[in-house]
C-alpha cells in the first residue's frame, strides 16, 4: 500500500500494531487521514479481514466520510467493515441480540422530545406538578445517572434529598414505560449492550472474536458507558487504536470524561503514544493565538501544534458598544470580505456560546437579505407535521409504542376527545396492557358509541398496514398511511400558508424516503426509523450551499471555515457565568474557545460588547472575556465599532513612544512604557500595566493613547 501521502508521525501511527495505540491528534493535523489509512493498512498490508474491524466515530457524517475515504484507498468492497457512531453500532448489535434481555428486536428509539413526553407522563403519575417539576430537568438528571451507569434501583439508594428522591422515582416509572412501549432512549442504546455483555458472557465473547481490531475517533469525548463498551471489546486482544485531542474535550456537561484519554495507558496497559502536531488547516497566527489560551490549562498533555502555512493575518478583536452593534459590525465585516469575490457566504461561520445569541445576528442577516443557515434550530425531523407522520410509522412498526399512538390517536381530528383518551389510558394502566391492545378491545372501555366506532376504524387501518410491512417498500407504506388517514385532506381543509408549508415539508419527507429507498439495498421500515432517530443537523448540512452558517461552538467541532467569527466574548457569557469559580469547568470553557478558534483557516474575528441585554430586559455592563486578554498581543489587531472609532485617538504614522511614558489601553487600562524596540508604527512597545502585568505590543495594532509624557 502506498503511504507516501503521510508525514513521518502519521506514518508511524498508521503502521504501529501489536499494542494499544494512543494518537494525540491536534486540530487540523489529519486525524481522519490517519484513521482511514490505518484501516486500509490493516486490511491490505496486515491481512485483517474487513469484517473483523470496528471503527467508531461520533457523527454519521464522520462515519460516512471515513467509509468513502477507505473505499478510495482500496480496490475492493469494504461494506463488511463496521464503521459508525457509538449509537448506530450499538443499535445494530441490539437488533440482533436484545431478545436475550426479553425485549423485541423491532424496538423504537425515542429522541429527546419523545423521552421528555414519557418523563412528563411519569411525573404526572406521581401526582407532581409539571410546572414545579420541569420534565426537561428531570430528563437531564436521569441522563446524568445513566452516564454514570447508575440504575434507578441504585439511584433510590443514593438519594439523599427531596429532589434526588423524586428523580429516582420518576426514573423508575420512566424506565418501566420505555419497557412497556418496547422503546429505548439514546442513553439506553449505550447501556443495553453493557447489560448484555455482563449477563451473557457468550455474547461478549462473540463480539470480542468478531472485532479483532478496534479504532475510536474523538476519544476525548467518550463517557463512562462508551469507555466500558470499547474496553469490553478490546480488553483481551488489546488491538485498539484511539485518536483524540484532550484540548478539544468539550462535552463534560453531558458525561464525557477527559481522563479516558489522559489515562489510556492505565486502562489498556503499556501503549504506544503518538503526537500529531503539524496542522494543515490554519495560519500560524491562528494557531499561536489558540495555543496561548489553551496553555493556561493545567490538566492537559504537553503538545503544541504548528504549521508550514503562512503566518497569515492578525487575530481581529472587534469591540462593540452593545449586542445590536456587534451584529451590525459582523455583517459589515461579512460584506467587506465577500464584496471583493475572494470569499463567498459559505466560507463564513458565526459561532456563539449559547443558541440564544443567534437571534440578534439572525435578525440582521434576514434584514440584509444575506442567506444563512442555523445549525441547531428546529430540526426537520422534529417539526410537528413530520413527527406526526413518524408517529404513524412507529406505531405501525411497533404496536406497543404508546407515545406514538397517543400523538396521532386524534390526528387528524376524528372526534376522540381528551376525556375519552384519559379513560383509555386509565384502563390500560389498570389491566397492565398496551394502549393499542385496549383499543383492539375498545368495547371494554366506558366511552361513547361514536368514539368506539371511530376507534375501531382507526385500529383496523393500523392493523391492516402493520400486516403489510414485509410485503411493500417504505415509500408505498408511507403513501398508504397518508392516503388511509387523509392527511393531505387535513392540510387542504385548513388552506393557510402555514398548512401549505407543512404539507410541502411532508412532500419533502417523502422525497427523502425515496432517496433512502434508492440508496439502501435492504431498506425497510425499522431501519429507516432507526436512521431517522440517529440523525443530527450536522449530518444533513451541506457546506456547498452559498450561505453563512450560524452554530454554537459545540456544534462546530470537526468543521473548518476560511473565516470564523466568535461572538459574545465576555465574562459570564463566554466563559459562562456558572463556571467562573469552578476550575475543571473553566478549563473546559477554555478548551471550547480553543475548538472555536481552530475552526478558522485564514481569518479569525473575536467579538465582544461592552453592554448586553441580559435576563430579558436589563442592560448590563460586560467585561471582556479573559480568553481575549490571554492572547499574544503581537498577533492582535483591534477593530473598533463606528461609535468608538470617532472617539479614539488613532495612532498616526509619525508617532513615537518613549520609555517612561504613561499610556492608556482599551483592555488593560493605564500602564507605563518600559521598553521600545524600533520606530514609529512598526515599533514594539513593552508596557507594565496594573497588577504588574507586562505586555509587548505592536504600535500599529495596540491603539495606545499617551496620557502623560
Amino acid at each position: 500500500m502506498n503511504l507516501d501521502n503521510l508525514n513521518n508521525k502519521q506514518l508511524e501511527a498508521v503502521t504501529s500494531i501489536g499494542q494499544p495505540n494512543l494518537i494525540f491528534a491536534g486540530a487540523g493535523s489529519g486525524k481522519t487521514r490517519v484513521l482511514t489509512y490505518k484501516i486500509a493498512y490493516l486490511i491490505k498490508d496486515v491481512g485483517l479481514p474487513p469484517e473483523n474491524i470496528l471503527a467508531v466515530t461520533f457523527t454519521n457524517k464522520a462515519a460516512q466520510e471515513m467509509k468513502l475515504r477507505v473505499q478510495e484507498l482500496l480496490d475492493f468492497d469494504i461494506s463488511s467493515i463496521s464503521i459508525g457512531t457509538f449509537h448506530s453500532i450499538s443499535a445494530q448489535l441490539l437488533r440482533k441480540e436484545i431478545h436475550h434481555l426479553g425485549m423485541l428486536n423491532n424496538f423504537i428509539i425515542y429522541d429527546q422530545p419523545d423521552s421528555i413526553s414519557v418523563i412528563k407522563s411519569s411525573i404526572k403519575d406521581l401526582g407532581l406538578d409539571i410546572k414545579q417539576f420541569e420534565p426537561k430537568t428531570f430528563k437531564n438528571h436521569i441522563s446524568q445517572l445513566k452516564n454514570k451507569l447508575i440504575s434507578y434501583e441504585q439511584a433510590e439508594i443514593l438519594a439523599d434529598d427531596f429532589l434526588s428522591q423524586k428523580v429516582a422515582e420518576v426514573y423508575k416509572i420512566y424506565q418501566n414505560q420505555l419497557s412497556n412501549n418496547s422503546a429505548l432512549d439514546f442513553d439506553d442504546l449505550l447501556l443495553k449492550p453493557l447489560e448484555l455483555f455482563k449477563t451473557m458472557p457468550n455474547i461478549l465473547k462473540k463480539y470480542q472474536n468478531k472485532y479483532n481490531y478496534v479504532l475510536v475517533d474523538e476519544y476525548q469525548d467518550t463517557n463512562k458507558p462508551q469507555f466500558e463498551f470499547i474496553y469490553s471489546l478490546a480488553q483481551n486482544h488489546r488491538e485498539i487504536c484511539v485518536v483524540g485531542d484532550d484540548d478539544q474535550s468539550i462535552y463534560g456537561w453531558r458525561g464525557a470524561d477527559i481522563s479516558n484519554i489522559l489515562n489510556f495507558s492505565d486502562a489498556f496497559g503499556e501503549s504506544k503514544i503518538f503526537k500529531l502536531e503539524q496542522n494543515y488547516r490554519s495560519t500560524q497566527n491562528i494557531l499561536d493565538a489558540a495555543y496561548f489560551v489553551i496553555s493556561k490549562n493545567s490538566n492537559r498533555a504537553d503538545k503544541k501544534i504548528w504549521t508550514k502555512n503562512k503566518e497569515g493575518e492578525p487575530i481581529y478583536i472587534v469591540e462593540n458598544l452593545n449586542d445590536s452593534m456587534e451584529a451590525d459590525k459582523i455583517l459589515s465585516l461579512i460584506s467587506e470580505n465577500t464584496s471583493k469575490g475572494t470569499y463567498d457566504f459559505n466560507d463564513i461561520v458565526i459561532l456563539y456560546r449559547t443558541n440564544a445569541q443567534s437571534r440578534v445576528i439572525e435578525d440582521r442577516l434576514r434584514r440584509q437579505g444575506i442567506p444563512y443557515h442555523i445549525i441547531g434550530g428546529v430540526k426537520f425531523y422534529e417539526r410537528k407535521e413530520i413527527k406526526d407522520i413518524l408517529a404513524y410509522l412507529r406505531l405501525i412498526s411497533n404496536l406497543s409504542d404508546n407515545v406514538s399512538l397517543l400523538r396521532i390517536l386524534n390526528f387528524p381530528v376524528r372526534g376522540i376527545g381528551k376525556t375519552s383518551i384519559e379513560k383509555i389510558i386509565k384502563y390500560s394502566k389498570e389491566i397492565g396492557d398496551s394502549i393499542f391492545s385496549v383499543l383492539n378491545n375498545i368495547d371494554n372501555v366506558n366511552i361513547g358509541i361514536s368514539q368506539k366506532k371511530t376507534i375501531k376504524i382507526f385500529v383496523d387501518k393500523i392493523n391492516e398496514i402493520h400486516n403489510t410491512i414485509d410485503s411493500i417498500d417504505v415509500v408505498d407504506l408511507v403513501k398508504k398511511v397518508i392516503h388511509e388517514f387523509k392527511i393531505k385532506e387535513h392540510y387542504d381543509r385548513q388552506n393557510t400558508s402555514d398548512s401549505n408549508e407543512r404539507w410541502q415539508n411532508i412532500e419533502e419527507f417523502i422525497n427523502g424516503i425515496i432517496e433512502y429507498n434508492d440508496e439502501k439495498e435492504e431498506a425497510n421500515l425499522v431501519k429507516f426509523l432507526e436512521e431517522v432517530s440517529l440523525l443530527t443537523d450536522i449530518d444533513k448540512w451541506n457546506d456547498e450551499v452559498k450561505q453563512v452558517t450560524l452554530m454554537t461552538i459545540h456544534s462546530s467541532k470537526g468543521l473548518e471555515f476560511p473565516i470564523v467569527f466568535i461572538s459574545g466574548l465576555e465574562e459570564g457569557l463566554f466563559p459562562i457565568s456558572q463556571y467562573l469559580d469552578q476550575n475543571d469547568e473553566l478549563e473546559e470553557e477554555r478548551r471550547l474557545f480553543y475548538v472555536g478558534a481552530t475552526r478558522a483557516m485564514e481569518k479569525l474575528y473575536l467579538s465582544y460588547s461592552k453592554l448586553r441585554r441580559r435576563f430579558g430586559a436589563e442592560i448590563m455592563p460586560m467585561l471582556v472575556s479573559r480568553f481575549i486578554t490571554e492572547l499574544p498581543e503581537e498577533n492582535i489587531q483591534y477593530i473598533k465599532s463606528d461609535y468608538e472609532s470617532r472617539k479614539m485617538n488613532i495612532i498616526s504614522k509619525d508617532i513615537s513612544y518613549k520609555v517612561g511614558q504613561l499610556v492608556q489601553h482599551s483592555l488593560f487600562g493605564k500602564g507605563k512604557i518600559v521598553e521600545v524596540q524600533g520606530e514609529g508604527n512598526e515599533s514594539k512597545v513593552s508596557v507594565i500595566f496594573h497588577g504588574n502585568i507586562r505586555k509587548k505590543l505592536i504600535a500599529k495594532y495596540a491603539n495606545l493613547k499617551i496620557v502623560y509624557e
Side-chain angles (χ1 to χ4, degrees):
M1 181 177 171
N2 188 353
L3 303 176
D4 293 342
N5 290 330
L6 304 174
N7 65 37
N8 290 337
K9 290 291 184 183
Q10 291 172 337
L11 180 63
E12 289 177 21
V14 165
T15 56
S16 175
I17 57 171
Q19 64 185 125
N21 290 172
L22 166 60
I23 304 173
F24 284 110
S29 63
K31 68 177 178 64
T32 304
R33 169 174 288 191
V34 169
L35 276 171
T36 52
Y37 267 85
K38 190 156 187 106
I39 294 171
Y41 177 79
L42 288 168
I43 296 170
K44 201 162 187 177
D45 289 26
V46 179
L48 196 63
E51 60 270 21
N52 294 141
I53 296 174
L54 171 65
V56 190
T57 68
F58 269 79
T59 68
N60 294 305
K61 192 179 181 74
Q64 196 58 37
E65 183 182 357
M66 193 178 295
K67 287 178 184 175
L68 290 172
R69 291 201 187 185
V70 173
Q71 185 65 71
E72 288 172 0
L73 292 172
L74 300 172
D75 54 0
F76 51 85
D77 180 45
I78 57 149
S79 58
S80 59
I81 300 179
S82 297
I83 300 179
T85 64
F86 275 100
H87 290 95
S88 66
I89 294 292
S90 296
Q92 291 169 24
L93 187 154
L94 292 172
R95 292 289 180 207
K96 298 174 183 176
E97 312 291 355
I98 203 168
H99 61 276
H100 294 294
L101 298 177
M103 285 191 67
L104 299 175
N105 291 77
N106 67 334
F107 58 85
I108 294 294
I109 302 170
Y110 281 175
D111 60 14
Q112 185 81 346
D114 294 327
S115 296
I116 289 173
S117 175
V118 179
I119 295 262
K120 185 177 179 180
S121 170
S122 304
I123 292 171
K124 287 181 176 178
D125 285 350
L126 286 174
L128 302 175
D129 185 355
I130 61 170
K131 293 180 180 177
Q132 183 180 357
F133 298 91
E134 212 277 318
K136 190 173 182 180
T137 301
F138 271 65
K139 176 66 179 73
N140 291 338
H141 281 299
I142 292 169
S143 188
Q144 288 170 10
L145 289 167
K146 289 186 175 185
N147 284 331
K148 294 176 182 176
L149 301 179
I150 297 173
S151 65
Y152 66 76
E153 295 95 343
Q154 294 168 309
E156 288 176 329
I157 297 170
L158 294 171
D160 56 2
D161 58 38
F162 179 77
L163 178 60
S164 57
Q165 288 170 3
K166 294 303 169 188
V167 168
E169 291 174 20
V170 171
Y171 185 2
K172 181 179 181 178
I173 298 173
Y174 171 66
Q175 285 303 123
N176 287 333
Q177 287 204 36
L178 288 180
S179 180
N180 293 337
N181 294 352
S182 191
L184 302 178
D185 64 15
F186 285 163
D187 296 316
D188 288 335
L189 284 177
L190 303 177
L191 296 179
K192 288 297 179 182
L194 300 182
E195 187 179 339
L196 270 169
F197 293 164
K198 186 177 179 179
T199 57
M200 304 240 169
N202 59 315
I203 300 289
L204 172 58
K205 190 170 181 64
K206 171 183 174 181
Y207 286 95
Q208 285 177 332
N209 292 334
K210 175 178 173 61
Y211 297 126
N212 298 150
Y213 204 100
V214 178
L215 303 100
V216 187
D217 191 15
E218 304 286 3
Y219 190 68
Q220 78 282 347
D221 291 330
T222 52
N223 59 20
K224 191 169 183 178
Q226 289 162 341
F227 166 78
E228 292 292 342
F229 180 75
I230 293 300
Y231 182 77
S232 298
L233 293 175
Q235 62 178 318
N236 290 339
H237 55 67
R238 295 172 65 245
E239 291 289 359
I240 180 171
C241 174
V242 304
V243 182
D245 182 7
D246 54 306
D247 288 336
Q248 297 186 70
S249 179
I250 58 174
Y251 293 112
W253 52 276
R254 70 181 190 193
D257 188 350
I258 195 173
S259 67
N260 287 346
I261 190 169
L262 294 176
N263 301 332
F264 176 81
S265 295
D266 293 341
F268 291 95
E270 186 177 349
S271 308
K272 186 75 173 176
I273 298 175
F274 305 90
K275 293 180 182 179
L276 306 182
E277 295 173 296
Q278 183 177 354
N279 176 284
Y280 293 91
R281 173 188 301 153
S282 307
T283 65
Q284 191 61 55
N285 274 340
I286 291 171
L287 299 181
D288 287 345
Y291 176 76
F292 263 77
V293 176
I294 199 64
S295 64
K296 301 293 188 297
N297 277 0
S298 57
N299 191 28
R300 64 183 295 272
D302 182 36
K303 57 192 173 303
K304 183 180 181 180
I305 53 177
W306 59 276
T307 186
K308 290 182 179 178
N309 296 338
K310 60 186 179 182
E311 185 178 41
E313 297 187 30
I315 311 304
Y316 298 104
I317 309 297
V318 187
E319 182 183 282
N320 308 279
L321 178 61
N322 55 41
D323 48 356
S324 295
M325 287 187 175
E326 179 183 42
D328 288 335
K329 191 62 182 178
I330 289 174
L331 258 69
S332 171
L333 291 166
I334 289 173
S335 298
E336 184 182 307
N337 278 286
T338 55
S339 61
K340 299 175 183 177
T342 307
Y343 299 102
D344 216 321
F345 291 129
N346 59 321
D347 294 322
I348 299 169
V349 67
I350 304 171
L351 304 178
Y352 32 79
R353 178 63 179 83
T354 63
N355 275 306
Q357 293 169 248
S358 71
R359 197 271 313 161
V360 64
I361 299 171
E362 187 180 356
D363 284 348
R364 297 306 193 278
L365 288 165
R366 189 167 54 248
R367 290 174 194 171
Q368 294 296 321
I370 295 177
Y372 68 93
H373 175 61
I374 296 181
I375 302 292
V378 178
K379 300 177 177 68
F380 181 81
Y381 289 100
E382 290 182 6
R383 293 172 180 168
K384 180 190 179 304
E385 60 274 19
I386 304 302
K387 291 281 287 185
D388 291 337
I389 300 293
L390 285 172
Y392 273 103
L393 298 179
R394 284 173 156 183
L395 178 62
I396 289 163
S397 172
N398 179 354
L399 300 178
S400 300
D401 185 0
N402 290 339
V403 171
S404 295
L405 172 57
L406 291 173
R407 183 180 183 97
I408 47 88
L409 183 55
N410 198 40
F411 173 82
V413 176
R414 51 178 67 93
I416 306 171
K418 184 178 179 182
T419 302
S420 295
I421 291 173
E422 286 175 349
K423 288 180 179 179
I424 292 167
I425 293 171
K426 184 181 178 182
Y427 186 74
S428 160
K429 290 177 179 177
E430 288 173 357
I431 67 171
D433 210 342
S434 73
I435 294 174
F436 193 78
S437 294
V438 171
L439 297 185
N440 265 313
N441 300 279
I442 195 62
D443 287 335
N444 296 329
V445 185
N446 183 27
I447 62 173
I449 294 174
S450 63
Q451 284 91 347
K452 286 181 179 180
K453 184 179 179 180
T454 300
I455 286 172
K456 286 178 181 179
I457 294 171
F458 170 81
V459 167
D460 287 345
K461 287 181 179 179
I462 293 291
N463 280 322
E464 179 192 344
I465 300 174
H466 174 74
N467 293 330
T468 67
I469 286 178
D470 297 327
S471 59
I472 63 173
D473 66 27
V474 185
V475 177
D476 290 336
L477 193 148
V478 173
K479 289 180 178 179
K480 191 173 180 66
V481 166
I482 290 170
H483 172 73
E484 290 293 336
F485 295 100
K486 302 184 186 306
I487 291 171
K488 186 175 189 305
E489 288 85 341
H490 166 75
Y491 289 111
D492 286 345
R493 281 194 303 272
Q494 295 180 350
N495 194 28
T496 64
S497 58
D498 180 67
S499 66
N500 291 335
E501 185 177 340
R502 291 183 185 277
W503 174 249
Q504 287 170 8
N505 287 335
I506 292 173
E507 288 183 324
E508 181 58 32
F509 175 75
I510 297 170
N511 292 337
I513 295 177
I514 293 170
E515 290 176 9
Y516 168 82
N517 215 38
D518 291 341
E519 292 172 1
K520 304 292 181 180
E521 291 184 8
E522 299 180 6
N524 59 53
L525 181 59
V526 171
K527 288 183 178 179
F528 171 73
L529 292 172
E530 179 181 303
E531 191 163 300
V532 168
S533 297
L534 300 177
L535 277 176
T536 68
D537 269 8
I538 292 294
D539 298 325
K540 289 294 185 181
W541 174 64
N542 184 352
D543 61 356
E544 295 181 359
V545 178
K546 292 183 175 13
Q547 55 190 2
V548 175
T549 301
L550 281 69
M551 66 176 80
T552 65
I553 303 176
H554 281 101
S555 299
S556 73
K557 195 150 79 67
L559 305 177
E560 60 183 34
F561 297 83
I563 301 175
V564 170
F565 291 87
I566 303 179
S567 64
L569 275 157
E570 300 127 35
E571 291 287 293
L573 187 58
F574 191 20
I576 207 161
S577 56
Q578 58 260 44
Y579 296 154
L580 293 178
D581 299 322
Q582 304 176 47
N583 188 60
D584 287 349
E585 286 78 5
L586 185 57
E587 290 209 351
E588 180 155 317
E589 289 288 290
R590 190 173 277 110
R591 292 194 293 269
L592 189 59
F593 174 86
Y594 178 84
V595 167
T598 54
R599 298 313 92 198
M601 301 165 68
E602 297 173 20
K603 293 187 179 185
L604 176 62
Y605 294 88
L606 306 177
S607 176
Y608 72 97
S609 299
K610 291 185 173 183
L611 302 170
R612 188 172 292 272
R613 194 175 296 277
R614 304 294 301 276
F615 313 114
E618 188 179 356
I619 297 175
M620 300 179 62
M622 307 296 290
L623 294 174
V624 64
S625 170
R626 67 190 67 195
F627 303 147
I628 287 181
T629 62
E630 289 170 357
L631 294 169
E633 193 65 30
E634 58 268 24
N635 288 14
I636 288 174
Q637 180 172 328
Y638 293 91
I639 298 176
K640 303 291 180 182
S641 292
D642 292 339
Y643 90 96
E644 192 68 21
S645 63
R646 289 193 294 267
K647 296 188 287 183
M648 291 297 294
N649 180 20
I650 306 298
I651 302 169
S652 63
K653 292 182 179 180
D654 59 351
I655 193 167
S656 62
Y657 294 106
K658 301 175 184 177
V659 173
Q661 286 176 325
L662 294 183
V663 292
Q664 179 78 32
H665 188 275
S666 62
L667 295 182
F668 308 118
K670 289 184 180 179
K672 184 177 182 180
I673 295 176
V674 294
E675 184 182 4
V676 178
Q677 298 176 343
E679 295 181 356
N681 233 13
E682 300 297 327
S683 63
K684 295 181 179 180
V685 185
S686 294
V687 186
I688 300 289
F689 292 99
H690 181 70
N692 204 32
I693 297 173
R694 185 178 177 122
K695 291 284 184 178
K696 181 179 278 188
L697 314 173
I698 298 177
K700 67 178 179 181
Y701 300 142
N703 286 339
L704 290 174
K705 182 179 179 181
I706 300 172
V707 296
Y708 181 73
E709 295 266 352

